[in-house]
């Protein structure tokens, strides 16, 4: 198993180009199933990350032709020939649940295994299934699979109990070929939802309202191919900004949409960091880090749950107290134990983490408990005294392209090692 070895204390400087958003790429790759034309769908700005390769394998197992190179994906779905997602691949990638909508819309049947929980919570899918039933799907369980079938989906009024990102995306994709018009109320408003709408419309769909709580989908006969460039990854951008801030450096993230990070920029500024905005960039200029009274994660446009753990690493370095409330996921504090091993002082009470900042972080052997927690441990290692070993970095490589390489270019002392190599003291 690979791990990162980091010698803390270097001040990061320079600029990093951010690639396409993982959480746009995944639903848009699924939506490519809806194109029945024998012409390639071409997706640009696609990051070279593990989740892309996993999703590519799943789509190939369904009969799509998929190739990747130079941050570009080419997909041809004219010969989709399977409606069952392989269990092993489904277990690997729970977000495959939003393959249900496009497969059901295209083939009239889909079989998936329950995606199961993960380290950030039980990850229920009730909103997905209720929405698909509203569209006319019959859903039942069979030998551990969830099976959905339909003689033809019909437009419906759907009210989501919670603005679930995945459920909104799944139902948008299910509805684009349905007979009639569908309304999704209390829809998620993330930028990735707008990106999915724009991609679906580029293929010939008729979707309006993404980015608001009411999305309207008018069903059409069929969808064709298109060339589409996905939006930049706001979570990767925020992670690099925090890497600059935690080391007291001066760092610019480029090729982004600054407005996607408004809530994040506001909180980093509240923590004492100076931030300058360009047309397609954001720069952190070092400041004296101070605690923030309350950081509450919320659906967009609130502070994103995916940056909660990197922000916690930053606040562990700040002078004074901070309170972090995780209101989106049930159990997204697994990184607290790991940070406390590095001399952070964090207590958890339910969905609230209370930080006593200011103590110097000490290098230690820690693990990535999920994608974003792993990124948080790397950030802590950049600022810690001594050597930090971050294990289970496969989690990190699911969502960050060349994370160690980019950090090294910014001045970090980080190397990617394989287990079994002797660890020399010092790096
Ligand atoms: C998406 O997950 C993202 N993943 C997550 O990013 C992100 O943290 C999350 O949205 C919130 O922004 C992808 O886009 C691939 P949700 P998703 O459905 O769709 C509850 C990362 O690190 N819920 O909005 O699974 C659920 O339990 C990942 O990149 C139900 O109760 O998130 C949770 O508490 C992690 N029933 C809340 O809604 C349902 O049927 C938010 O979940 C569905 C969700």
């Amino acid at each position: 198993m690979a791990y990162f070895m980091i010698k803390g204390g270097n001040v990061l400087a320079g600029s990093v180009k951010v690639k396409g958003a993982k959480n746009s790429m995944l639903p848009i790759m699924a939506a490519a199933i809806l194109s029945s034309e024998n012409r390639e769908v071409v997706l640009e700005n696609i990051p070279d990350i593990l989740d892309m390769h996993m999703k590519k394998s799943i789509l190939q197992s369904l009969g799509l032709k998929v190739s990747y190179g130079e941050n570009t994906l080419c997909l041809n779905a004219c010969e989709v020939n399977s409606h069952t997602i392989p269990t092993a691949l489904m277990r690997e990638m729970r977000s495959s649940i939003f393959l249900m909508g496009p497969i059901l819309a295209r083939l009239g049947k889909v079989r998936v295994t329950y995606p199961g929980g993960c380290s950030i919570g039980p990850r229920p899918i009730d909103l997905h299934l209720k929405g698909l039933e509203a569209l006319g799907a019959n859903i039942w369980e069979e030998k551990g699979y969830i099976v959905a079938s339909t003689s033809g989906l019909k437009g419906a009024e759907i009210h989501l109990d919670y603005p679930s990102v995945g459920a909104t995306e799944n139902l948008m994709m299910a509805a684009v070929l349905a007979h009639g018009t569908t309304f999704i109320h209390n829809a998620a408003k993330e930028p990735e939802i707008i990106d999915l709408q724009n991609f679906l419309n580029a293929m010939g769909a008729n979707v309006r309202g993404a980015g608001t709580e009411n999305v309207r989908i008018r069903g059409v006969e069929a969808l064709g191919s298109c060339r589409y460039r996905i939006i930049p990854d706001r979570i990767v951008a925020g992670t690099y900004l925090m890497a600059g801030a935690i080391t007291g450096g001066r760092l610019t993230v480029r090729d982004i949409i600054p407005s996607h990070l408004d809530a994040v920029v506001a909180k980093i500024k509240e923590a004492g960091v100076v931030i300058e905005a360009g047309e397609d960039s954001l720069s952190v200029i070092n400041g004296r880090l101070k605690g923030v009274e309350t950081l509450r994660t919320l659906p967009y446009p609130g502070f994103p749950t995916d940056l909660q753990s990197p922000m916690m690493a930053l606040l562990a370095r700040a002078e004074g107290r901070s309170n972090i409330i995780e209101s989106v996921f049930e159990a997204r504090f697994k990184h607290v134990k790991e940070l406390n091993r590095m001399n952070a002082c964090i207590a958890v009470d339910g969905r609230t983490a209370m930080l006593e900042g200011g103590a110097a972080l000490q290098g230690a052997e820690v693990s990535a408990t999920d994608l974003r927690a792993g990124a948080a441990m790397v950030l802590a290692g950049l600022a810690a005294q001594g050597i930090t070993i971050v294990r289970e970095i496969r989690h990190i490589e699911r969502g960050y392209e060349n994370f160690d390489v980019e950090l090294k270019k910014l001045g970090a002392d980080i190397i990617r090692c394989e287990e079994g190599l002797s660890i020399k003291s010092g790096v």
Side-chain angles (χ1 to χ4, degrees), residues 22-24 26-27 51 94-95 98 120-129 162-167 169 188 190 192 234-235 298-300 304-306 327-330 332 351 370-372:
K22 170 181 81 79
N23 292 348
S24 252
L26 291 171
D51 269 15
R94 64 167 312 284
S95 64
F98 51 49
I120 62 177
R123 312 296 293 274
I125 57 169
D126 55 309
L127 302 178
H128 296 250
L129 301 182
Y162 180 91
S164 155
V165 172
E169 291 163 344
E190 274 68 5
E192 292 77 25
R234 60 194 169 97
I235 305 302
L298 287 167
Y300 194 88
T305 173
D306 292 345
S327 66
V328 175
F329 284 107
E330 298 80 358
R332 202 167 195 176
R351 288 196 178 218
D370 75 74
L371 161 58
R372 310 300 176 185

Side-chain angles (χ1 to χ4, degrees), residues 2 47 81 96 132 165 211 257 266 274 317 407:
N81 51 31
S96 304
L132 292 175
V165 172
I257 301 171
V274 174
R317 280 276 289 128
L407 287 171

Side-chain angles (χ1 to χ4, degrees), residues 19-21 24 45 191-192 195 228-233 257 260:
K19 296 283 177 47
S24 252
N45 201 25
E192 292 77 25
D195 215 20
Y228 189 79
R229 182 180 181 80
I230 68 171
I231 58 170
D233 195 314
I257 301 171
H260 286 171

Side-chain angles (χ1 to χ4, degrees), residues 35 55 57 60 67 83 95 233:
S35 164
K55 182 69 92 179
S57 302
Q60 287 169 329
S67 60
H83 56 247
S95 64
D233 195 314

Side-chain angles (χ1 to χ4, degrees), residues 9-10 12 43 46 69 84 106 117 158 197 208 232 258 312 322 331 352 369 386 408 414:
N10 289 13
L12 298 196
L43 300 178
I46 299 294
T84 299
R106 185 78 197 275
I158 298 169
Q197 168 182 277
R208 294 290 179 277
M312 186 184 286
S322 300
T352 302
T369 50
K408 196 176 292 188
I414 179 171

